[in-house]
Amino acid sequence: MGGGVTAIGDRAERRPKQDRSRATRQRLLEAAVAALAEHGWAGSTVTVVAERAGVSRGAAQHHFPTREDLFTAAVEYVAEERSTALRALFPQGTADDRRVVISALVDLYTGPLFRAALHLWVAASNEEQLRPRVTELEARVGRETHRIAVDLLGADESKPGARETVQGLLDMARGLGLANLLTDDHARRERVVEQWAVLLDEALL
């Protein structure tokens, strides 16, 4: 009986440790994205991220042995969070108002995630070790975002041009995100969103 109690106690002790480990990992991921968005690749070291997350450098390296591990995982983590948040805005799936969907998609590309991802892409263009991992990540995130857009817009991709129309929307949103890095031109974005809502209503009939 004593052995059974000990085993239960060991499992109970492991759970809080696992919870703390998950919490530490999440803080590191969020800190990495914030650092990358604010300081770029050159200014975002493991030490900077660890300090921002309130953990030791050793703890950071326990979770992510290399800098590349940390930053690719960070951007992927937040991308998944944003995808989840986007779906949560429209829990029934296809939305009635395409303008609202377009606006939500544009928001994906004008927040800290896109800024952080952009820094990662620039770094990957010069870092041989980083490039294949970022390329794979971007392809996966792009496919997921496309699937979400198709679902929410109620697009029938069996119709000629429908897939390209949705992809064009996402490319446009990415372009607005790039423009937003320099100036926050909210009024112009609103006009572009309005026009795309008209275009999509006609193209996706």
Side-chain angles (χ1 to χ4, degrees), residues 139-166:
R140 191 161 69 249
V141 171
R143 287 192 297 269
E144 173 64 11
T145 304
H146 186 95
R147 281 196 298 270
I148 292 173
V150 168
D151 290 346
L152 295 180
L153 293 167
D156 180 358
E157 290 197 297
S158 68
K159 293 182 178 178
R163 178 176 179 80
E164 291 74 17
T165 298
V166 174

Side-chain angles (χ1 to χ4, degrees), residues 6 17 27 29 37 41 67 88 101 104 109 111 113 122 130 138 163-164 167 183 187-188 204:
T6 301
K17 285 183 179 178
R27 286 205 309 275
L29 293 174
W41 176 256
R67 187 184 185 200
V101 176
Y109 291 97
L113 167 64
V122 172
L130 194 60
E138 171 59 17
R163 178 176 179 80
E164 291 74 17
Q167 191 56 54
T183 57
R188 183 171 66 88
L204 300 179

